[in-house]
């Protein structure tokens, strides 16, 4: 079965299947004004009393200081080819309560999540080295320390200096949706269940008192925008009722991000509603496939639904040829957030990937939260083979699915594993791929497979299968066999 959705899906499919209108709960996001977030970038300084290594310092940081509000932190540096062999720890003060957190570890070895070497995105000159982002909740003060460590297996005396240009990034996700949309209902249009909240509360309260004004920040270089001819001009597709007030409120960037999903949902929709298996197969049969192996299309929260600021990303959409494999990740952001905060976490990661790491867009093609909600990631269309920046060396002909949270020692929720299975059963089915099979991908260069190596991989793989990394965490990785089995069953295999 060929990839019948590898390029733009035609309007004929839309005419054959009329989607129901969004439920009031799913459409509530469109009535909430977007309030942009922000990123504070603070240069680190040598810590007093720490010795220097040849060519640089071995410890940098910042003492406790008040800042503008933020909820996610990370550390970046100038050279993306330099690995950060260091422990990175932060303390933050919860907004409202004024309570300081203990020192929290930030995952420092994050080079595995990146554009491929030699790709246009990597060669753009804006990409930086970066740690994983850590969600800390609403905060208004911070302290950080970065201490160099020797590389694994190297003697302590061989501790390298820290890379140049270390900066602490503080990300405020901005005000988004009052409640995370929940479109993953069994049948389109049916009542949506309440989402259970995880046990770990967000530190602090949602009230943000005005902090003292921080010192001026040095701006980071911006990636130049390239105009796209015809952007913002779209024809109304048959079968959809378009809300003129909603479409009029869309910026050209928002309209473009929505238009690539126009076969699946109305322009400006904040959710793509789920279909039954019969409806999904009927949609495929409109393209001449008698009995396609494909799972029911799951509900997906669009970029509009989780409040993506479309002005941040590059305007163009970049595609690969097909989707042969799905790499599963965890975001390593920690687990101190609720399902209702998932959109805020996602907006923070998006801003961190673009403004701090220098990527063209968020790296992942999809995200999944603890409650099993599925989110559109990198812009370009959920049914299309969008080129991501999730598995260094294997972004071509693959997709990346990130489960929000850290699952090295915490078991992933069953709902999240089921969401991986549902998403892969549908998306891989669009390209005729069996979730339980293996495939060959050619490495673009990494620490596990040299550039040009043809690697045999499971169709549903963990990030660590393509790159030497802990991602997606040992306990989530252990659930991928279950995801493969369920996805194949959903496809009817």
């Amino acid at each position: 079965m060929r990839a019948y959705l590898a390029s733009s899906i035609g309007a004929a499919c839309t005419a054959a299947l009329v989607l129901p209108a969004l439920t009031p709960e799913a459409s509530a996001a469109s009535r909430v004004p977007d309030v942009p977030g922000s990123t504070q970038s603070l240069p680190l300084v040598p810590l007093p009393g720490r010795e220097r290594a040849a060519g640089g310092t071995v410890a940098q940081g910042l003492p406790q200081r008040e800042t503008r509000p933020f909820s996610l932190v990370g550390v970046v540096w100038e050279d993306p080819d330099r690995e950060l062999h260091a422990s990175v720890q932060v303390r933050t003060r919860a907004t409202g309560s004024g309570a300081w957190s203990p020192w929290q570890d930030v995952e420092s070895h994050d080079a595995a999540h990146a554009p491929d070497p030699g790709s246009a995105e990597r060669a753009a000159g804006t990409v930086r080295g970066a740690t994983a982002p850590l969600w800390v909740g609403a905060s208004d003060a911070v302290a950080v320390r970065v201490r160099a460590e020797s590389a694994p297996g190297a003697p302590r005396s061989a501790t390298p200096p820290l890379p140049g240009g270390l900066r602490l990034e503080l990300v405020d996700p901005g005000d988004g949706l009052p409640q995370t949309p929940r479109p993953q209902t069994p049948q389109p249009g049916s009542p949506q269940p309440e989402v259970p909240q995880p046990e770990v509360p967000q530190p602090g309260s949602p009230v943000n008192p005005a902090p003292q004004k921080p010192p001026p920040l040095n701006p980071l270089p911006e990636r130049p925008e390239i105009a796209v001819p015809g952007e913002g001009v779209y024809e109304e597709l048959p079968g959809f009722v378009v809300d003129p007030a909603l479409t009029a409120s869309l910026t050209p960037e928002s309209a473009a991000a929505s238009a690539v999903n126009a076969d699946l949902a109305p322009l400006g929709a904040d959710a793509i509603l789920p279909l039954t298996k019969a409806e999904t197969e009927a949609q495929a049969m409109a393209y001449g496939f008698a009995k396609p192996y494909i799972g029911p299309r799951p509900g997906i929260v669009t970029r509009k639904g989780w409040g993506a600021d479309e002005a941040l990303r590059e305007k163009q959409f970049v595609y690969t040829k097909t989707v042969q494999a799905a790499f599963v990740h965890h975001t390593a952001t920690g687990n101190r957030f609720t399902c209702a905060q998932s959109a805020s976490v996602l907006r923070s990661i998006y801003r961190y990937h673009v403004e701090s790491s220098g990527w063209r867009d968020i790296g992942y093609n999809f995200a999944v939260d603890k409650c099993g909600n599925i989110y559109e990631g990198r812009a370009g269309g959920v049914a299309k083979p969008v080129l991501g920046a999730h598995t260094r060396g294997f972004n071509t002909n693959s997709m990346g699915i990130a489960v929000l949270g850290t699952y090295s020692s915490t078991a992933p929720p069953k709902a999240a594993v089921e969401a991986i299975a549902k998403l892969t059963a549908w998306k891989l089915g669009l390209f005729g791929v069996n979730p339980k099979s293996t495939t060959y991908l050619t490495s673009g260069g990494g620490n596990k497979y040299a550039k040009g190596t043809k690697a045999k991989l499971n169709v549903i793989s963990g990030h660590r299968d393509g790159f030497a990394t802990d991602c997606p965490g040992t306990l989530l990785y252990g659930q991928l066999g279950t995801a493969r089995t369920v996805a194949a069953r959903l496809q009817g295999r």
Side-chain angles (χ1 to χ4, degrees), residues 253-441:
E253 294 85 2
S254 296
S258 182
V260 287
N261 291 318
D263 308 82
L264 312 178
L267 189 67
D270 63 320
I272 296 170
L273 296 179
L275 299 179
T276 64
K277 183 170 176 59
E279 290 169 333
T280 306
E281 289 176 347
Q283 194 176 53
M285 290 173 65
Y287 286 81
F289 302 105
K291 290 184 178 180
Y293 287 106
I294 187 169
R297 187 181 77 197
I300 301 172
V301 180
T302 65
R303 292 170 64 91
K304 174 72 165 56
W306 54 263
D309 181 354
E310 300 295 352
L312 292 179
R313 62 170 175 82
E314 279 197 359
K315 291 182 178 181
Q316 299 94 333
F317 307 129
V318 180
Y319 300 95
T320 184
K321 292 181 179 179
T322 186
V323 177
Q324 294 175 232
F327 286 98
V328 177
H329 306 256
H330 67 172
T331 56
T333 46
N335 300 309
R336 301 183 68 183
F337 58 90
T338 66
C339 288
Q341 293 173 305
S342 296
S344 294
V345 175
L346 197 55
R347 289 197 303 277
S348 298
I349 295 173
Y350 169 45
R351 187 172 287 274
Y352 184 73
H353 282 180
V354 176
E355 290 195 325
S356 301
S357 301
W359 300 355
R360 61 179 297 117
D361 195 349
I362 191 171
Y364 308 115
N365 297 103
F366 296 93
V368 171
D369 72 14
K370 302 174 185 179
C371 294
N373 298 299
I374 300 171
Y375 300 82
E376 178 184 15
R378 180 164 287 205
V382 298
K384 297 177 173 62
V386 178
L387 179 66
H390 49 84
T391 305
R392 182 175 176 178
F394 291 104
N395 292 310
T396 298
N397 296 336
S398 71
M399 68 175 183
I401 304 170
V403 181
L404 301 181
T406 303
Y407 300 102
S408 301
S409 58
T410 299
K414 182 180 179 181
V417 178
E418 291 177 345
I420 294 171
K422 292 175 184 177
L423 176 58
T424 52
W426 172 69
K427 183 65 182 275
L428 293 173
L430 298 179
F431 295 87
V433 179
N434 183 343
K436 293 187 72 175
S437 65
T438 56
T439 190
Y440 285 89
L441 295 177

Side-chain angles (χ1 to χ4, degrees), residues 179-195:
Q179 190 175 31
T180 297
R182 298 182 292 277
Q184 76 285 4
T185 51
Q187 298 291 335
S190 63
Q192 300 188 14
E194 284 293 318
V195 172

Side-chain angles (χ1 to χ4, degrees), residues 23-87:
T23 62
E25 184 174 11
S27 62
S30 63
R31 299 192 297 270
V32 179
D34 293 331
V35 178
S38 63
T39 301
Q40 303 169 68
S41 186
L42 309 176
L44 303 191
V45 299
L47 292 178
R50 301 292 296 183
E51 69 277 12
R52 300 177 67 87
T57 59
V58 296
Q60 293 187 30
L62 289 173
Q64 293 182 2
R65 61 180 296 172
E66 293 190 332
T67 66
R68 298 191 298 272
F70 65 94
S71 296
L72 179 139
V73 303
V75 171
V76 301
W77 56 97
E78 291 303 321
D79 185 356
D81 292 326
R82 279 286 305 274
E83 287 195 42
L84 179 64
H85 295 291
S87 67

Side-chain angles (χ1 to χ4, degrees), residues 33-186:
D34 293 331
V35 178
S38 63
T39 301
Q40 303 169 68
S41 186
L42 309 176
L44 303 191
V45 299
L47 292 178
R50 301 292 296 183
E51 69 277 12
R52 300 177 67 87
T57 59
V58 296
Q60 293 187 30
L62 289 173
Q64 293 182 2
R65 61 180 296 172
E66 293 190 332
T67 66
R68 298 191 298 272
F70 65 94
S71 296
L72 179 139
V73 303
V75 171
V76 301
W77 56 97
E78 291 303 321
D79 185 356
D81 292 326
R82 279 286 305 274
E83 287 195 42
L84 179 64
H85 295 291
S87 67
V88 181
Q89 295 181 309
V90 297
R91 293 187 69 203
T92 55
R93 187 179 70 186
T95 301
S97 71
W100 280 90
S101 73
W103 287 103
Q104 301 181 74
D105 293 323
V106 178
E107 174 57 56
S108 60
H109 304 295
D110 204 46
H113 302 82
D116 287 341
S119 66
E121 185 170 3
R122 174 62 181 80
T126 60
V127 176
R128 305 174 187 86
T131 68
L134 178 68
W135 177 264
V136 294
S139 305
D140 57 15
V142 67
V144 60
R145 60 191 184 193
V146 180
R147 294 172 174 170
E149 298 177 340
S150 57
R156 185 178 180 87
S157 59
T159 299
L162 296 172
L166 286 170
R167 306 178 74 94
L168 176 66
E169 304 288 291
L170 306 176
V171 181
D172 172 17
D175 294 335
L177 313 184
Q179 190 175 31
T180 297
R182 298 182 292 277
Q184 76 285 4
T185 51

